[in-house]
């Protein structure tokens, strides 16, 4: 499996506290069959060259330590960007896209963001930059009132991702219900761990995949953790207009 959203990069946000915790997290990830981990620290309001250097040095340290421990996980660097007025400037920074390929970015919004704003951001990003992977989409209640809203976001180029743990109640019954509803509408592209630690908020991609399989079947669930994230990882084109139900 390929995980495109987590906070395993140590000491740079509210994720792994230190290198040891990050290595334990990666060990757990490997044990679940996760082979690729794109580190996505919060960049938020400090998206500048200094942050880039901080992320790059923390990343190189983690990569070297993971390799020394023999952890069978390939690592790469991106970030989780909070929507802000300067999003277009931020998108030009090296850590703003997966593996610096300028093809895909992980974006989050304030939870109350209206559907129209999310749609506009997606359109703007698609005109000038990378394709947006929308992080933990289940949180954005005002952008998913009806299936057509989510379908129009996807047809404008958004990729819909869920936190895997939402499907098994990690974030409470409301998130569980919404994430399952999105799967039933057949509008989900990717499951990601959003792991922050080596305990309850850790890599839970395997359990999320199993919860998804119970709703959409094993083959479709596999696409959410293998085929689709691989396109993002490798910077391959995203197929337009897939099988929307
Ligand atoms: Fe996150």
């Amino acid at each position: 499996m390929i995980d495109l959203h987590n906070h395993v990069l140590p000491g740079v946000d509210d994720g792994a506290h230190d290198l040891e915790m990050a290595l334990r997290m990666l060990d757990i990830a490997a044990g679940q069959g996760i082979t690729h981990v794109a580190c996505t620290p919060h960049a938020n309001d400090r998206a500048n060259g200094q942050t880039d250097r901080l992320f790059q040095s923390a990343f190189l340290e983690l990569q070297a330590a993971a390799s020394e421990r023999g952890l069978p996980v390939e690592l790469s660097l991106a970030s989780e960007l909070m929507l802000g007025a300067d999003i277009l400037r931020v998108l030009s920074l090296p850590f703003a896209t997966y593996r610096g390929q300028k093809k895909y970015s992980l974006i989050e919004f304030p939870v109350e963001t209206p559907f129209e704003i999310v749609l506009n951001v997606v359109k703007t990003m698609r005109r000038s930059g990378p394709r947006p992977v929308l992080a933990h989409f289940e949180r954005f209640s005002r952008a998913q009132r009806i299936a057509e809203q989510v379908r129009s976001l996807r047809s404008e180029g958004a990729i819909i991702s869920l936190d895997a743990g939402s499907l098994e109640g990690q974030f409470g019954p409301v998130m569980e219900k919404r994430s399952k509803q999105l799967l039933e509408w057949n509008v989900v592209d990717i499951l990601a761990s959003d792991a922050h630690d080596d305990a309850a908020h850790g890599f839970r991609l395997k359990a999320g995949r199993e919860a998804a399989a119970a709703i959409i079947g094993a083959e479709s669930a596999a696409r959410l953790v293998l085929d689709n994230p691989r396109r993002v990882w490798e910077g391959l084109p995203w197929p337009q207009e897939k099988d929307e139900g």
Side-chain angles (χ1 to χ4, degrees):
M1 293 186 285
I2 298 174
D3 187 48
L4 294 180
H5 179 180
N6 58 77
H7 302 272
V8 70
L9 197 66
V12 298
D13 64 4
D14 58 344
H17 301 162
D18 54 30
L19 188 58
E20 281 306 312
M21 182 189 268
L23 291 169
R24 285 196 299 276
M25 289 169 73
L26 290 177
D27 194 36
I28 293 167
Q32 289 182 21
I34 296 172
T35 55
H36 295 68
V37 170
C39 307
T40 54
H42 292 290
N44 295 15
D45 51 353
R46 48 175 187 155
N48 53 39
Q50 193 180 348
T51 303
D52 189 49
R53 288 188 290 279
L54 172 70
F55 287 174
Q56 298 288 353
S57 69
F59 176 73
L60 290 176
E61 191 183 357
L62 178 61
Q63 198 175 37
S67 151
E68 203 172 293
R69 294 271 174 106
L71 291 170
V73 181
E74 193 174 331
L75 300 174
S76 70
L77 179 61
S79 59
E80 181 176 17
L81 305 173
M82 173 63 86
L83 172 66
D86 60 348
I87 187 76
L88 293 180
R89 176 191 67 79
V90 170
L91 286 172
S92 67
L93 290 164
F95 61 74
T97 57
Y98 285 98
R99 300 173 79 211
Q101 292 176 322
K102 302 192 185 304
K103 298 281 176 59
Y104 297 93
S105 285
L106 182 65
I107 308 285
E108 64 172 332
F109 302 91
V111 288
E112 290 297 323
T113 304
F115 164 71
E116 290 75 14
I117 290 182
V118 178
L119 184 64
N120 270 326
V121 170
V122 169
K123 286 180 179 174
T124 305
M125 281 185 66
R126 288 298 293 140
R127 272 200 298 273
S128 54
R131 187 179 285 269
V133 177
L134 305 187
H136 33 63
F137 186 79
E138 69 275 24
R139 291 188 196 169
F140 310 124
S141 59
R142 297 174 70 186
Q144 54 184 280
R145 292 219 163 97
I146 52 171
E148 279 61 37
Q149 288 182 323
V150 194
R151 293 203 177 103
S152 63
L153 290 172
R154 292 174 85 229
S155 66
E156 289 296 340
I159 296 170
I160 305 296
S161 80
L162 305 180
D163 279 3
S166 288
L167 289 167
E168 40 150 13
Q170 185 185 350
F171 302 102
V174 173
M175 292 305 138
E176 182 176 348
K177 189 168 168 225
R178 280 196 210 144
S179 56
K180 288 181 172 171
Q181 174 76 87
L182 290 163
L183 278 181
E184 282 160 10
W185 286 345
N186 197 21
V187 294
V188 178
D189 299 299
I190 285 171
L191 295 183
S193 76
D194 199 6
H196 278 68
D197 60 30
D198 57 347
H201 205 17
F203 281 92
R204 292 167 72 152
L205 205 50
K206 183 163 180 272
R209 175 184 181 171
E210 287 163 2
I215 298 169
I216 58 174
E219 205 176 309
S220 296
R223 273 202 290 277
L224 306 183
V225 292
L226 287 164
D227 312 51
N228 290 346
R230 181 172 292 121
R231 288 195 180 100
V232 173
W233 180 281
E234 294 182 357
L236 299 172
W238 191 259
Q240 279 292 348
E241 300 305 326
K242 296 179 302 160
D243 46 331
E244 296 175 353

